[in-house]
Amino acid sequence: MDSLLIKNLRASVAGQEILRGLSLQVPKGEVHAIMGPNGSGKSTLSKVVCGHPDYEVHSGEIFLDGEPILELEPDQRARLGLFLAFQYPCEIAGVSNANFLRAALQARLPKGEEIDAVAYYKRLYEKMDMLEMDRKFTARSVNDGFSGGEKKRNEILQLAMLDPKYAILDETDSGLDIDALRIVADGVNRLRGPNIGILLITHYQRLLNYIVPDVVHVMVKGRIVRSGGKELALDLEEKGYDWILKECAEEISA
Ligand code: ADP
Ligand code: MG
């Protein structure tokens, strides 16, 4: 089965072990959500999967459609079809959004092949319209001076343009007001389908009202401690994280 498969992953940052034997499989065609208290290592997981150099992997494996990716550079992982929407997107002054996206797409083409500019802009405008983004955002520097919500929308624009096989969205809902949340969720819902696996990381259940996941995982202290259907998210909304921390106390401290 084609999937993003994570096996028994242990990883640390700044000398502290954050992921402590995490296993997870996101099959192509499904949307999985990871919920968990702040500090449980959700963003760490997304960065390790994408190959952030600050994070050290001690053991475990990650496979993209059966291919091991831990030895690959971030750009190689991206070329294999991996995408990450950051929790805190960075600003790149002096590089326009349109040039940035074009360079990202160009980098995936075989040597000697050029992007067709007319087709590129047509597609860019289509995706921007879908996300209700003003055209002026093509000329503005990447995320430079964007509001929190505009940055998140811009991450989804990148997702739509790059058309990856697996996408990790790290708290794409945070900082969005309800209208922006709907637009972003509509965008993701239009992109979901049999050819993409999506991992939604979120602290709150709210996003999952709009993007209904196939599976919900709960992450605590660097491990998945529970997996279930979308009802699990509602349970967490209603009862908070405390009950799960109690129920899984032994597992968590092990
Ligand atoms: P979450 O996304 O679930 O809130 P994070 O993965 O951001 O959790 O953080 C997990 C833990 O790792 C936290 O204690 C955080 O302070 C620590 N951490 C994450 N990134 C770094 C870093 N670059 N340097 C030091 N500590 C970090
Ligand atoms: Mg986080």
Side-chain angles (χ1 to χ4, degrees), residues 149 153 173 175-182 206:
R153 222 181 280 202
D173 48 333
L176 294 184
D177 63 29
I178 200 75
D179 292 328
L181 181 71
R182 267 201 204 109
R206 187 180 73 151

Side-chain angles (χ1 to χ4, degrees), residues 4 13-15 25 30 41-42 51 56 105 109 112 116 160 196 200 243:
L4 169 62
V13 62
Q25 184 167 28
E30 294 189 7
K42 303 183 298 297
E56 194 185 344
L105 285 165
L109 294 180
D116 177 74
I196 184 169
L200 286 177
W243 64 280

Side-chain angles (χ1 to χ4, degrees), residues 35-191:
M35 302 183 70
N38 283 327
S40 43
K42 303 183 298 297
S43 293
T44 299
L45 173 65
S46 68
K47 287 176 187 168
V48 169
V49 172
C50 292
H52 194 297
D54 288 355
Y55 296 77
E56 194 185 344
V57 175
H58 302 291
S59 60
E61 291 168 295
I62 306 179
F63 299 94
L64 212 70
D65 292 343
E67 184 161 343
I69 62 166
L70 274 177
E71 299 299 317
L72 302 180
E73 295 296 322
D75 67 298
Q76 295 174 309
R77 299 181 196 202
R79 282 195 189 92
L80 284 179
L82 186 65
F83 176 86
L84 169 63
F86 291 103
Q87 180 170 5
Y88 303 108
C90 63
E91 303 184 358
I92 313 175
V95 178
S96 77
N97 233 354
N99 282 342
F100 175 74
L101 280 168
R102 189 170 163 167
L105 285 165
Q106 179 71 52
R108 298 171 151 215
L109 294 180
K111 264 213 163 60
E113 227 175 277
E114 278 287 321
I115 278 190
D116 177 74
V118 175
Y120 166 71
Y121 274 99
K122 183 167 174 277
R123 182 139 173 271
L124 179 62
Y125 290 151
E126 248 171 52
K127 305 296 184 192
M128 290 179 83
D129 289 348
M130 171 180 89
L131 293 166
E132 298 181 29
M133 283 176 82
D134 194 290
R135 297 270 157 98
K136 69 171 192 264
F137 283 102
T138 53
R140 282 181 60 181
S141 293
V142 179
N143 292 327
D144 193 15
F146 287 26
S147 72
E150 287 166 350
K151 284 181 182 171
K152 295 305 169 95
R153 222 181 280 202
N154 208 32
E155 294 288 290
I156 302 303
L157 177 64
Q158 292 172 19
L159 166 64
M161 289 300 287
L162 290 169
D163 198 20
K165 292 186 186 139
Y166 297 94
I168 304 175
L169 309 186
D170 192 2
E171 300 215 18
T172 297
D173 48 333
S174 67
L176 294 184
D177 63 29
I178 200 75
D179 292 328
L181 181 71
R182 267 201 204 109
I183 291 162
V184 162
D186 279 354
V188 174
N189 283 328
R190 259 183 253 187
L191 296 170

